[in-house]
Amino acid sequence: MSSLSRDVRLVSGCVLMLFAGTHFLNHAMGIFGVGAMEAGQVWRSWFWQSLPGTIALYGSFLVHPTFALMRAAQRRTFRMPVREIVQIALGLAIPLLLIDHIVATRVQGILFAQDQSYHAVLRRLWPGLALSQSLLLVVVWVHGVIGLHFIFRSRPSYPHWRDAFMLAAVLVPLLAIIGFSVGGREAKLMALPPELYTPQQVDSFNQHVTWAKMGFFGLVAGFVGFVALRELRARALGEIVVRFVGHGSRKVVPGFTLLEMFRRFGIPHAALCGGRARCATCRVLVLDGLEGLPPPGPNEARLLRRISAGDRVRLACQLRPTHDLQVQILLAARQRGAGPSGALAGEPGIGRRGITVMVADLRAFTALSQRQLPHQLMTLLNRFYDEMSQAIAAHGGRIEAIYGDGLMAVFGLETPPARAGAEAIAAAGDMVRAVEALNREYAAALPLPLRIGIGIHGGEAVIGAVETKATGRQEITVGETVMIASQLEAATRRLLADVLVSAETIKATGRSFPGLVPHRIAIKGRDAPVLVYALGGDIEPRRRDGGEAAPQADAKSPEVKSGDTKPAKDEAASTAPPAGNGAG
């Protein structure tokens, strides 16, 4: 029932949000006059007053609040994040504000053939009911936007269109209110006879409004009564003991979900989707008592299969224990990061994105460090990282990590993947030239010249942040893209190349580069060797145009195999990620 309720609420909510969006955009056309609003209403009414549109709209209008109340009735605690409280409060306010509007327009129009055109409705609403109607517009829109935001924010594609969504969330109600105000003033100035109402129309309006509000308050009273009877029955059945590893044991009456227990007792936890079985951040490991638990529902089972969860892993938001249980939170949240309900809010910067990763490392650093005094070595490293950071920042990159004699940088956090690859390659060229300048500057002080190896690869990676008491908050990037870039950097030592770039990244840039030398290297985790290009000293991209051809994937190139240490013309290997002290 929980899975069915979630899906029905989602579909019906999207239908209602679509109706509200088209209605408010029709309001916004009032900026251009009442005539524009009337023209827009023709197209909107064609759909929503058709048989399919009417069934979808009024069916959703009945189903959505009903299933929302059912979900609220399933709650065993009303301690929840502030955004859920706001959404529920707005949802309860909508019927109270909407009943008068529906009765005055649709119901009265059907019963007494009242004019439902924009200019007629605006004359009835402006200016006496302008404030209440504007409040209704904002309440409906905010309630829907909150719901959509927390439905889609756990999806990988959401960060790509989140800004456009938020822009629409602000502009639609703002333009609708402006259009309503402009259209209302224009309609009031129209030279039309005043609209007169018969006593029968007035009585009908009052009667229908009273009946509708009594029905609404009856539903709310029934909900309160159901919750009270449920609590009395649960207390009569006795308590169960749930032990949370690391957070002690709690006695509760049966019926709570584990997520509700976390919130009630203030146990730090993660719940990105708010308990809708969409994100799996609230999952727990059942250590004792698994045998008596009901099997996962369809949505929970689907999500657990997607993340390849073990047999003892369950979602806290879907699990309602009826007997003693022992569980361990798998994605625990620190109390200092939790909100009033103990839950961590999802950070907008976390997600999977297409980026370009650069890994760079100083060559022969071990030998160099053994021949330099500590003070001289630190002065050289500071100068080296100062030059590298300037080159990376100048091309829109961000240094993610520094590990002794090497670094990792990320490009494409604010730009598309094609541009990110070109920026990373351009930054690599500046870094190579900066190292050459350092060699000239420190020629008399260095026992051997500085060399740098750079690996560049573009693809999808997980962007986020970690935080510990010792190190504080740190932005990190993880995934196969980082691993491949690291292995490309390791392969530069055996191929005697300063810069290695994957063919995928070169192709994504849409540009050509002079002096490309193809190689194939074995990458851990991939069955086939990966085509890469060693860049020459002149790393200046040119756009491909006219007859200039892109590098071909079938170009003849030496293959670099694991474990070989021969130079570029022989077979070489890409090994583990660069170590902290570099390779001599």
Side-chain angles (χ1 to χ4, degrees):
M1 189 61 191
S2 176
S3 298
L4 174 64
S5 174
R6 191 198 78 168
D7 295 339
V8 169
R9 289 198 318 273
L10 173 60
V11 174
S12 58
C14 288
V15 171
L16 294 175
M17 197 62 178
L18 179 61
F19 173 79
T22 56
H23 194 37
F24 298 161
L25 289 175
N26 205 162
H27 283 2
M29 295 175 71
I31 296 174
F32 306 102
V34 175
M37 301 173 82
E38 300 278 9
Q41 187 183 29
V42 172
W43 292 99
R44 188 171 58 86
S45 300
W46 172 80
F47 176 76
W48 291 112
Q49 293 185 12
S50 65
L51 181 60
T54 300
I55 293 174
L57 176 60
Y58 286 99
S60 299
F61 186 73
L62 293 174
V63 165
H64 189 74
T66 300
F67 277 81
L69 279 176
M70 288 174 58
R71 180 173 185 264
Q74 290 177 335
R75 289 181 178 272
R76 302 306 296 263
T77 179
F78 289 94
R79 181 170 183 176
M80 63 190 79
V82 174
R83 65 98 181 163
E84 289 190 33
I85 296 175
V86 171
Q87 189 180 22
I88 291 174
L90 293 177
L92 291 173
I94 288 173
L96 294 177
L97 296 170
L98 190 59
I99 287 172
D100 293 64
H101 180 72
I102 293 177
V103 172
T105 54
R106 200 67 181 268
V107 175
Q108 294 293 91
I110 294 174
L111 293 177
F112 300 100
Q114 285 186 354
D115 189 358
Q116 297 184 54
S117 62
Y118 249 107
H119 72 269
V121 175
L122 287 172
R123 283 167 59 85
R124 297 180 201 133
L125 299 178
W126 189 270
L129 299 175
L131 183 60
S132 63
Q133 295 303 299
S134 299
L135 178 62
L136 171 61
L137 185 153
V138 172
V139 168
V140 168
W141 190 252
V142 172
H143 174 78
V145 166
I146 291 175
L148 292 177
H149 171 67
F150 285 97
I151 285 171
F152 297 119
R153 72 169 183 170
S154 59
R155 302 195 176 186
S157 61
Y158 184 52
H160 299 298
W161 50 272
R162 181 184 60 229
D163 292 342
F165 173 74
M166 292 301 176
L167 181 63
V170 174
L171 286 181
V172 169
L174 179 62
L175 295 176
I177 291 175
I178 295 174
F180 172 58
S181 302
V182 174
R185 286 195 294 266
E186 181 182 342
K188 204 66 177 177
L189 296 175
M190 288 182 175
L192 296 173
E195 195 170 28
L196 301 177
Y197 304 103
T198 65
Q200 185 182 5
Q201 288 176 300
V202 175
D203 292 341
S204 174
F205 173 80
N206 293 332
Q207 187 179 53
H208 283 94
V209 168
T210 302
W211 286 350
K213 290 187 177 180
M214 286 178 62
F216 171 72
F217 287 121
L219 281 175
V220 174
F223 163 75
V224 173
F226 169 78
V227 171
L229 290 175
R230 183 192 61 193
E231 290 299 315
L232 292 174
R233 179 178 178 275
R235 294 182 185 279
L237 293 176
E239 296 179 322
I240 62 173
V241 177
V242 180
R243 182 173 182 271
F244 304 96
V245 175
H247 300 283
S249 300
R250 301 290 192 277
K251 291 184 177 182
V252 295
V253 295
F256 284 83
T257 66
L258 286 178
L259 180 61
E260 290 172 333
M261 295 180 195
F262 296 155
R263 291 174 172 178
R264 179 171 182 174
F265 300 117
I267 297 175
H269 63 280
L272 185 61
C273 70
R276 294 175 173 84
R278 291 193 177 98
C279 67
T281 55
C282 68
R283 60 186 180 269
V284 297
L285 179 66
V286 180
L287 301 175
D288 189 23
L290 179 66
E291 297 76 14
L293 294 177
N299 289 325
E300 181 183 6
R302 189 184 309 117
L303 186 56
L304 291 176
R305 284 195 302 269
R306 196 179 79 186
I307 63 173
S308 302
D311 294 338
R312 290 185 169 271
V313 176
R314 297 293 299 271
L315 299 185
C317 63
Q318 304 296 306
L319 186 57
R320 296 180 182 271
T322 57
H323 59 275
D324 293 353
L325 201 67
Q326 180 179 1
V327 298
Q328 179 179 353
I329 301 174
L330 295 179
L331 295 179
R334 293 176 299 279
Q335 184 66 48
R336 57 195 173 93
S341 65
L344 275 185
E347 298 184 49
I350 297 177
R352 188 180 298 275
R353 301 179 55 181
I355 58 169
T356 299
V357 176
M358 169 196 288
V359 176
D361 187 73
L362 271 176
R363 295 285 171 261
F365 183 75
T366 302
L368 180 64
S369 63
Q370 292 172 350
R371 303 181 188 182
Q372 295 285 302
L373 295 174
H375 178 75
Q376 293 175 326
L377 185 64
M378 290 300 105
T379 300
L380 177 62
L381 279 178
N382 276 291
R383 182 63 186 280
F384 169 75
Y385 283 122
D386 183 54
E387 295 291 340
M388 298 302 102
S389 63
Q390 288 185 44
I392 291 168
H395 295 280
R398 182 182 76 187
I399 293 181
E400 289 266 312
I402 292 177
Y403 43 88
D405 61 336
L407 59 87
M408 186 185 86
V410 177
F411 296 80
L413 296 175
E414 304 293 339
T415 56
R419 184 175 172 186
E423 289 172 339
I425 294 172
D430 287 350
M431 292 165 68
V432 171
R433 286 187 285 272
V435 170
E436 293 172 352
L438 288 176
N439 281 328
R440 291 191 295 270
E441 182 178 344
Y442 288 90
L446 291 176
L448 64 162
L450 298 176
R451 288 286 307 279
I452 189 173
I454 301 173
I456 298 174
H457 179 66
E460 281 199 344
V462 177
I463 306 293
V466 295
E467 185 176 355
T468 65
K469 292 181 179 179
T471 62
R473 179 185 173 88
Q474 292 181 321
E475 305 291 334
I476 65 168
T477 302
V478 296
E480 185 189 45
T481 301
V482 178
M483 179 270 293
I484 293 177
S486 177
Q487 293 196 39
L488 295 189
E489 181 277 320
T492 60
R493 309 169 190 175
R494 297 173 177 83
L495 296 176
L496 302 180
D498 291 332
V499 182
L500 279 182
V501 186
S502 65
E504 301 170 37
T505 306
I506 294 284
K507 183 178 179 181
T509 64
R511 305 182 182 188
S512 64
F513 298 84
L516 293 179
V517 180
H519 300 275
R520 291 184 182 275
I521 66 172
I523 295 292
K524 292 181 179 179
R526 290 199 175 186
D527 297 332
V530 174
L531 177 63
V532 300
Y533 290 97
L535 298 185
D538 180 21
I539 307 178
E540 291 294 338
R542 297 194 301 266
R543 287 197 174 276
R544 299 184 189 129
D545 53 3
E548 189 171 7
Q552 298 297 317
D554 59 352
K556 294 181 179 180
S557 58
E559 182 176 345
V560 181
K561 296 182 179 178
S562 178
D564 204 331
T565 57
K566 294 182 180 180
K569 293 185 179 179
D570 295 329
E571 296 178 348
S574 66
T575 56
N581 61 351

